[in-house]
Amino acid sequence: MAYTLQLTVKKIEHETDTIKKFTFTSDEIPLPPFGAGAHVTLHLPMGKRQYSLVNNPLEMKNEYVIAVKKISDHNGGSGYLHECIGQGDNISVSPPDNFFPLRTEAKHHVFFAAGIGITPFVSMMAYLKTIGRSFELHYAASGERECAFHRHIQNHFRSKSTFYFMKREEKIAKLKKALQNRTMGTHIYLCGPPAFMDILLEHSHKLRYPEKFIHEEQFQPAVLIENPQPFFVNLVKTKKTFMVSSGQTLLDALHEIDIYVPYTCRMGVCGTCEVEIEEGDVVHCDSFLTEEEKVGNMLTCVSRGIGHIKLRL
Amino acid sequence: MGYYGIFKITGRLDVREVIQVSRLNGFPFPFTKDQYTYSNNSVPLDPAKTITVTADYKNELELKRKLLQKHHHRCFRSLPLSMESQWEIMLLLFNELASCNPESFTFQKKGDECLFQNHLLEEEEAFVFRDVSTIALEPLDLVGRHVQEDLILMGDRHNGLFLEAGQLCFPSNWSLAFVQGMEFKSIHNPVPGIQNDGFIDKVERFISKIRPGTVWERKNWSITVTNMLDTPLETYSVWGKHRQEVTCENAGDLIHLRVEVQRLFRLPMNHDVLFTIHTYLLQLNDLIQQESWFKSFYQNIKTLPEEIAEYKGISTYRTELIRFLENHMEKERRGQ
């Protein structure tokens, strides 16, 4: 979504020594609704940063709440939010999007979180509790003091939560065990540092856990080419050669020389303008093709060649 | 006879012409090319509106409610899993009705207490969000009685998109009862050529990637003989036989271009997909008044592949239809 919301920082709370909770609101506009697992994109001086929403989507009172762990100085996004943003400040925010939705068909939801990876699950658990569905949480942190939302979770989801504050080896062994002997229809959700995710993913593969029942938090920022470069194109069937200039899309260049490639969205979403690649390197900017399809195909509305490419047209 | 846009240049404007002009005006003419093409012809819609209120609102809602009353089991189906999304759809549509047509509808929500007022029908719905004891019908069934669109809920599951609830009064030769609970690809199996080059897989992938809060629109067309909106598979014996009655003399009266404006919307809260279908009918006699539409329609009927003509139910009378159109063309040519 192209538009942004101008929001005000209503409240800043200390969650732990290094984690702050920010509440954004607006007096003027109703904030768009969101689903459990959704994130917002903040537009900060150093670029766009995405953070999971921690509020309950069913009890949203025109507020977005995020929790941010400080992992940089004020030149980085988290440090900037911690050091330079105060109550009453304004901030540009892209409306919520969701690449980590709950699979509501699940008979049972199991959440594995490490550190600040807890954030999407705070929203998910609140939602599931409201609609009366079954879930449990396994949450690893270095200690109670560093454990974000510890008290909140104890207050609201105590019987469904297990905390892992022990030494690393013991933690890993116990988490692996929690993955085992799950009943059919259980969906697993993972969020945390890459090492944590890798260990649990690998173990789930070892257990032959069906892949479609395992979900990872994945931010998928749209690929945007900052400085598009001109490139040359050879059409092998119609035997034409032409250049796509830096300000032009391949789709437009094709139309200019009367090669009609159908199109619809011009955003790399619908897949209509797909063409086959004969040879050459391509920067893929679409969110449609699978990794396998990208080997021999490209969407001409957003993706570009590097140097010289050949297309089967 | 000259035309500028859709306005006919004559000395005076009689009633018949006024009606015709308004019908043509709001009609979503579907053809953009002079040849039939097979593609994912969806376009993003900004602002993201899922429904449209037209001049036929009262008539169509009367018919819709009659059908729901008489054939509820045929026109409304739902699975228990659909309940949360049904609630979300009800809020969404009441909100949209009120914000886009404030003179006709009002919607207020204080906490979970909701009040929707339909000033066109002089009705109101008071309910508590997510409290089933406060509504007499399921949410989708209730809100569907205030919009002209048919409403279909596709559940976005880990293994595909499934039809999990629907209020369907004006289908074009399909059955809600038959497809309830079915997966997207299976539902579309009857469409000829839909499996070629993985086309249906790509459409499904496209839908599964629609972002929250965005609406995509496509137009789908077919032909109805007579002006019936409700042509479900279940009553084929009633309306299907009219296909045999078309002649090159009566085609202008009998044949109606049927256009479904279909919109896809990702429900932000529950991540399922709402599919709305607004059906428009335009009599062929009206359609041919607009020269560019007539030409485009003729070319598309002429170039329609046989299996698509068969699927759309046109094969029976295609020859008569084409003759009617060519006769009209001839008359226009002589008139000039």
Side-chain angles (χ1 to χ4, degrees), chain A residues 97 105 127 264 274 288 293, chain B residues 42 158 202 205 211 270:
Chain A
D97 199 345
E105 68 272 30
Y127 175 78
T264 305
E274 179 182 341
F288 181 81
E293 287 170 336
Chain B
S42 307
H158 67 280
K202 286 186 177 169
R205 196 194 313 160
R211 302 322 310 152
N270 291 290

Side-chain angles (χ1 to χ4, degrees), chain A residues 64 95 150 177-178 202 211-212 228 234 245 268 279 302:
Chain A
Y64 292 148
H150 183 257
K177 211 173 159 206
E202 200 180 297
E211 273 178 38
K212 286 192 165 175
N234 242 175
S245 68
E279 206 182 296
V302 289

Side-chain angles (χ1 to χ4, degrees), chain B residues 250-289:
Chain B
N250 69 14
D253 296 319
L254 279 186
I255 284 185
H256 290 70
L257 175 60
R258 178 192 158 103
V259 176
E260 294 182 357
V261 174
Q262 307 178 339
R263 291 181 185 166
L264 291 158
F265 177 75
R266 166 81 56 193
L267 296 168
M269 219 190 299
N270 291 290
H271 212 71
D272 290 333
V273 177
L274 169 66
F275 179 52
T276 67
I277 310 165
H278 194 132
T279 304
Y280 298 77
L281 289 174
L282 183 66
Q283 197 184 41
L284 189 53
N285 277 337
D286 287 338
L287 186 148
I288 58 175
Q289 300 305 316

